[in-house]
Amino acid sequence: MREPDISIAECSYRRVLEIVSNKWTALVIYALEDGTLRYGLIKSRIADISQKMLTQTLKQLERDGLVVRKVTPVVPPVVDYALTPLGRTLLPFLRMLKDWSSAHYASVSEAREAYDAVHQDASHG
Amino acid sequence: MREPDISIAECSYRRVLEIVSNKWTALVIYALEDGTLRYGLIKSRIADISQKMLTQTLKQLERDGLVVRKVTPVVPPVVDYALTPLGRTLLPFLRMLKDWSSAHYASVSEAREAYDAVHQDASHG
DNA sequence: CGGTATCCGCTCTGATACTG
DNA sequence: CAGTATCAGAGCGGATACCG
């Protein structure tokens, strides 16, 4: 029999989707996969993230228990970020998505071109 | 040696993230995991999605070659949607995320409460 | 260096109304 | 039933300026 719990709306799945569905969250987690990184290093890894968005994303991740923040009170300040064990459990998921990208993104691109050729009104790039 | 290609900005990973990072995309794909579904059925599976957002998401998914749309020209109209083979390759990824939710979402909740207790200014729920 | 605060545009999203 | 069109509001996200 089919599970009846699938009316997808209310479960934790949805909440987790909200976490990962941010523009930057996945990228930041992925940037930290190799271990602890200072704020500036994370920023240079992602490059086109703004300071505001990086800080905001990091703060949210910290709140969710996915990242730890460690301040070393020296001048100038040193702030390190690292994934928590909980945060690290998301890595396989991110890697899987990355593999998917390598394997299938070309197909998506083709599909878009084909679609746009037919529907003739697109200008997405 | 470490791969130098990791400056995460420009690769397909990023583009794929854009696909999945929509509020509804993952939910719609997931709704279609069991096979073909009519428009109204999808809507009832997701429940709190608006007509506009469902249509928009479906159209985007079709453009990306992840979903096929089949119109049966009768009155009243019947429109069926199904995942393409390409779309189906995303399912393991979605299931993995769902498993993660079941396993770890409680931890996230706890972390939030702890964080909010300390930072005292939150009111997210 | 690693933030915080503010302003502002733009996109995403949801109601509502209408069509075939 | 399955859309399309339009409008208005909320929030995202970037640029800029300032602080410890």
Side-chain angles (χ1 to χ4, degrees), chain A residues 57-117:
Chain A
T57 304
L58 249 8
K59 205 177 280 183
Q60 179 201 281
L61 252 17
E62 194 194 357
R63 184 169 107 101
D64 290 342
L66 267 21
V67 157
V68 275
R69 179 175 185 263
K70 194 182 100 185
V71 182
T72 307
V74 296
V75 185
V78 172
V79 184
D80 291 296
Y81 292 90
L83 292 174
T84 62
L86 182 61
R88 301 200 74 79
T89 61
L90 274 172
L91 286 176
F93 160 85
L94 261 12
R95 290 211 191 88
M96 189 171 183
L97 188 56
K98 186 159 186 273
D99 290 343
W100 193 93
S101 306
S102 318
H104 300 296
Y105 185 66
S107 304
V108 172
S109 277
E110 282 174 41
R112 283 189 183 175
E113 283 175 40
Y115 183 95
D116 292 349

Side-chain angles (χ1 to χ4, degrees), chain B residues 15-105:
Chain B
R15 298 266 165 267
V16 171
L17 235 26
E18 282 169 21
I19 296 175
V20 187
S21 284
N22 280 307
K23 188 174 180 183
W24 302 111
T25 306
L27 259 6
V28 170
I29 293 175
Y30 200 75
L32 289 170
E33 72 161 344
D34 294 329
T36 301
L37 239 45
R38 290 182 59 173
Y39 182 92
L41 268 302
I42 302 173
K43 190 157 176 0
S44 69
R45 276 227 181 182
I46 305 186
D48 55 344
I49 193 172
S50 68
Q51 197 171 38
K52 176 183 172 182
M53 282 303 104
L54 180 54
T55 300
Q56 183 176 304
T57 304
L58 248 10
K59 204 176 280 183
Q60 179 203 282
L61 251 16
E62 194 194 357
R63 183 168 106 103
D64 290 343
L66 268 20
V67 157
V68 273
R69 179 175 185 264
K70 194 182 98 185
V71 182
T72 308
V74 296
V75 185
V78 172
V79 184
D80 292 296
Y81 292 90
L83 292 174
T84 61
L86 181 61
R88 301 201 74 81
T89 60
L90 274 172
L91 285 175
F93 161 85
L94 261 13
R95 291 211 191 88
M96 189 171 182
L97 188 56
K98 187 161 184 272
D99 291 342
W100 193 92
S101 306
S102 318
H104 300 296
Y105 185 67

Side-chain angles (χ1 to χ4, degrees), chain A residues 22-24 48 50-53 77:
Chain A
N22 280 306
K23 187 173 179 183
W24 302 111
D48 56 344
S50 68
Q51 198 172 36
K52 175 184 173 180
M53 283 302 105

Side-chain angles (χ1 to χ4, degrees), chain A residues 15 18 63, chain B residues 105 109 112-113 116 121-125:
Chain A
R15 299 266 165 267
E18 283 170 19
R63 184 169 107 101
Chain B
Y105 185 67
S109 278
R112 282 188 185 177
E113 283 176 39
D116 291 350
D121 65 270
S123 45
H124 286 264

